[in-house]
Amino acid sequence: MSVDYLGLLKLFLPECAVVLTALVILFADLRWWQALPVLQRSRGAAWLMTVGLLGAAAVALLGEKSADLLGGTLVLSSASQHVKVVLLLLAVVTAWLCTEGEFTKHVGEFMALIALATTGMMFLVSTENLLMVFVALELVSLSLYVMTAFNKRSPRSAEAALKYFLFGGMAAAFTLFGFSFLYGLTGSIHLPTIASKLAGHATDPLALAAIVLVVAGFGFKIAAVPFHLWAPDAYEGAPAPAAAFIASGSKVASFFILAKLLQTGLAGAEGSGAWKAFAPGWTAVIALLAAASMIFGNLAALAQTKLRRLLAYSAVAHAGYALLALIGGSQPALLYYVVTYAVTSVGAFGVLAVVEHRTGREDFGSLAGLRERSPLLAAGLTVFMLSLAGIPPLAGFFGKFYVFVAAAKQGPDLGYWWLVALALAMSCVSLFYYLQVLKQVWVAPREESAPTFAGEKAVAALIALLAGAVVVLGCAPEWLIQWLR
Amino acid sequence: MLAWTIYISFAAAAAMFLLKPDSRQGARVLALVAALAGLAVGLVGAVQHAGGGLVTIQKLPWVQTIGAEYHLATDGISLTLVILTGLAAVVGILFSWNVEHRTREFFAFYLALIGGVYGVFLSFDLLLLFVFYEIAIIPKYFLIAIWGSTNREYAAMKLALYSFIGSAMVLAGLVAAYVVSGAQTFNLVELAKYPFPASFQNWAFPLVFVGFAILAGLWPFHTWAPTGHSAAPTAASMLLAGVVMKLGAYGCLRVAMTLFPEGLAAWRDVFGGLAVVGIVYGALVSLTQRDFKFVIGYSSVSHMGFVLLGLMTLSTIGLSGAVLQMFSHGVIAGLLFGVVGRMVYDREHTRDLDELQGRRLSRTMPFAAVTFVVAGLASMGMPGFSGFVAELKVLIGAWQTFPKLAVIAGVGIVLGVAYTLRAVQKAFFSGDKEDVPGAIHAGHGHGESAITLPEKIGAVVLITTTLVIGLYPKQLLDWIVPSFASPLFDGLRKGGLQ
């Protein structure tokens, strides 16, 4: 069959723009900027990233919103284009976070990796083809592994990357194995075709094995229990921008494609995880994963003394809440939750990046008296922590609420209410550790030697913007829900 | 118009951060102006409403996807509590005039709390009500953790967690009710009409009721209250005991009882019994306390027991007594905490009754002594004060439905006299310094200041209120009683409300 390459290019202009940006930054940094100080190079590269990625976002917003090419290899929808815009914005924020902290001399390479990971994510959300999913997933994963290892002066960074890589490699193998079963059963790698061929024998043992393998592979990506073991070390050891991007962009893309895989590709094989009505299928597996993640993530976070690890375990817990939306079958609820979570997460890492850079510490005590030392960062961190805890009128509250409603609606007779009740109970547990963080910011007295700081202007501005977005999206959520449909 | 109470409070809270970081007088004045404006708006709105039924203030679409609206409305019950909030806010600020440490942040959190409370009382969309209910939790945490006294971080966290658990229970019930009703709406009036299946109501009612009642101090979930009230700074204690506990009781009435009348019928006896246990237990424990603030804290638990008992009577006289008790206790608790916290503790730096015994406070601060005696009389239920009218109505209502419980509650009133008189005597009127072995030799020149003007104004305002309502309760009852005739309470009427 003939392929209309020009048409393809037009549809994938955003991705092309991102790759082009990566190449331009690499060239500029390696050819012209080597003599400049690292901070200047970071700033310059961040500006180039902003221009390039915002341009790509504009193209994605204004361009074609629906397409289905090459047997589902490349599929565009309004939701996918809007999610791409979100991913690009998150990448821009991540790029600016690089200006806060000198963890590497290889600025151009790091920025290029961010751009490449973004490209991978963008392709991940534009496909309904198993092979394309895997290729895009690998692009994202490999870029993120390298980004995690980028701080060559820190043995923890290397350790984190190795754990992430080994775990991720195994997970990718599981995913591919599961995909191969699906192909074996149905003879197709196109999701809708798989669904139609599977219809009727969804409880085939091979299909169930495929479901478990695929969910295991993706469970790693979203850091759900019991595939979360890489998360605390990766979040702690990676340089702040890398951790921020793993926590935000990678989650958004992974949840989007997982939802598509399960809801489109395995449409007949849901089964049920409802109370006293368990039936084999992916809903049952997801329900168990969600319950385990919420319980373990929240309980483990209680014991943490380091901010990064706290955020890692909280990410595990939030993956649990988001999985509820997956069960609920409501794509708007899932996307709203994951997008607002990503915005909150990248903001929180932004604040942590500044604090770690300016104080040199990573424990709770580094935040003591932050309200005096840096009112903007204190306000931002307050908004982010309260949103994660689920306090209205912030986006995190509404996200959780919408997810709970979606999950409760699913299943006859409030079948998933047990999950909602569990989620609420675990949310109460979570309030404790988020308040512990805020206690440091607002209640604990400032230490004698603690410096006052404001952080890089651009980073501070971005944190303020992100905090504002969390507030606005929480008070008026309708807009974002409609936009992500 | 009443919606401005909410907006003014939040706007003023935000505006606090525009003031200079060390500005004190500016912060105080801004807070007082905002609180007075809120009270004025509340009073004007009440006069305009004048006994009409349910009146919608604002109804805008908010989240069409799930059917939530920005729906503010009021009826007589909400009005009563809005005015209580206004009064408590103003007097609380007057009693906090002496806060020197991080003043503008104190008033910012205070006003944010007030705004959230106004929002709960005026919301008629369940999601909106819940949002305002939860907004109120965080300022409470910071008010206690930063400006509190003994054990403040523990008390603040305990209070925050209990409140959050309560609201999580409420949310669980609300989500279930929303899904079961199948109606794509959170409108309270609409949902109240929906006939939820009895089997559903049997577990949904206790879930939502207990969720709200935790904040109202239902025994045995009341333990956050004495700890929290004692650790909190004066204004926060006044708000907590005076208004925030009423949020819980209001939620019980407005949400749990309205939505699930059949569930109420099934659980009435249990919660009526727990309420009475709370009355007697609170009083008995108050009788043994050494810490002055704990005496008042436990007495709050006891008085809220009357509110909850009144709610369970399912008779108009009992229910209106409960609402009146919410108002009355709000005012009286404000007075009591004002005296104990601001007048006594800020000067004597001790709340231990045995230590205060030697200090002859009736001589050194006569105004405080008189105020506390008056407040104590009101708290005891002396006729002439608002507490008497409210508790009488509750007891009459209880006698009609659970006579045995009414008798036990009556015993609670007698115990109330006992702990109040004990506290009054020990703190203010006990013997000379020489009589008490080991008493601290406290002279007159302790560095004590005279009772300041803001404190005097605050005390007089509250005493006047409780006297006026005690002598002329008709004004409030004309708002409260007709509210129970509205269609909102049809379900309860079917369940036996007379």
Side-chain angles (χ1 to χ4, degrees), chain A residues 339-374:
Chain A
V339 166
T340 50
Y341 172 73
V343 169
T344 313
S345 205
V346 84
F349 271 101
V351 175
L352 284 192
V354 179
V355 171
E356 279 170 22
H357 183 221
R358 305 290 168 147
T359 61
R361 293 166 64 176
E362 290 189 351
D363 59 325
F364 277 27
S366 60
L367 293 176
L370 194 67
R371 60 169 193 95
E372 266 181 277
R373 290 152 60 194
S374 176

Side-chain angles (χ1 to χ4, degrees), chain A residues 28 40 54 92 108 119 121 147 171 193 216 226 244 260 266 286 340 357 375 416 483:
Chain A
Q40 259 192 298
L54 286 183
V92 168
T119 318
M121 292 175 199
M147 281 166 67
T193 319
K260 196 164 258 201
L266 292 167
I286 297 286
T340 50
H357 183 221
Y416 288 102
W483 194 64

Side-chain angles (χ1 to χ4, degrees), chain A residues 78-271:
Chain A
S78 143
S80 80
Q81 296 305 84
H82 291 162
V83 169
K84 281 185 196 176
V85 172
V86 172
L87 290 170
L88 288 163
L89 292 173
L90 290 172
V92 168
V93 176
T94 309
W96 278 104
L97 286 185
C98 295
T99 60
E100 191 68 47
E102 289 187 15
F103 54 88
T104 180
K105 291 198 311 268
H106 306 283
V107 172
E109 286 94 316
F110 194 78
M111 295 288 184
L113 281 169
I114 297 179
L116 288 174
T118 314
T119 318
M121 292 175 199
M122 288 165 79
F123 275 113
L124 200 53
V125 306
S126 328
T127 180
E128 277 180 6
N129 180 299
L130 290 181
L131 208 51
M132 188 62 177
V133 167
F134 187 74
V135 170
L137 205 57
E138 282 303 281
L139 177 56
V140 174
S141 304
L142 290 173
S143 312
L144 290 177
Y145 301 153
V146 180
M147 281 166 67
T148 309
F150 233 72
N151 187 350
K152 292 204 270 194
R153 272 173 267 148
S154 161
R156 267 207 334 240
S157 178
E159 180 190 340
L162 199 62
K163 283 185 183 168
Y164 191 16
F165 169 59
L166 288 173
F167 216 100
M170 279 291 274
F174 270 64
T175 313
L176 202 54
F177 201 23
F179 283 174
S180 72
F181 281 5
L182 287 176
Y183 177 69
L185 271 173
T186 59
S188 161
I189 53 172
H190 177 46
L191 289 179
T193 319
I194 293 177
S196 58
K197 293 262 173 76
L198 262 183
H201 50 214
T203 47
D204 191 312
L206 209 56
L208 294 177
I211 289 173
V212 172
L213 289 170
V214 166
V215 169
F218 277 92
F220 151 79
K221 230 30 216 137
I222 60 177
V225 169
F227 312 109
H228 68 288
L229 295 165
W230 60 275
D233 292 307
Y235 278 50
E236 188 187 4
F245 206 36
I246 295 172
S248 56
S250 155
K251 286 268 165 78
V252 172
S254 310
F255 268 107
F256 187 94
I257 191 61
L258 181 62
K260 196 164 258 201
L261 257 172
L262 295 176
Q263 285 163 355
T264 312
L266 292 167
E270 281 114 358

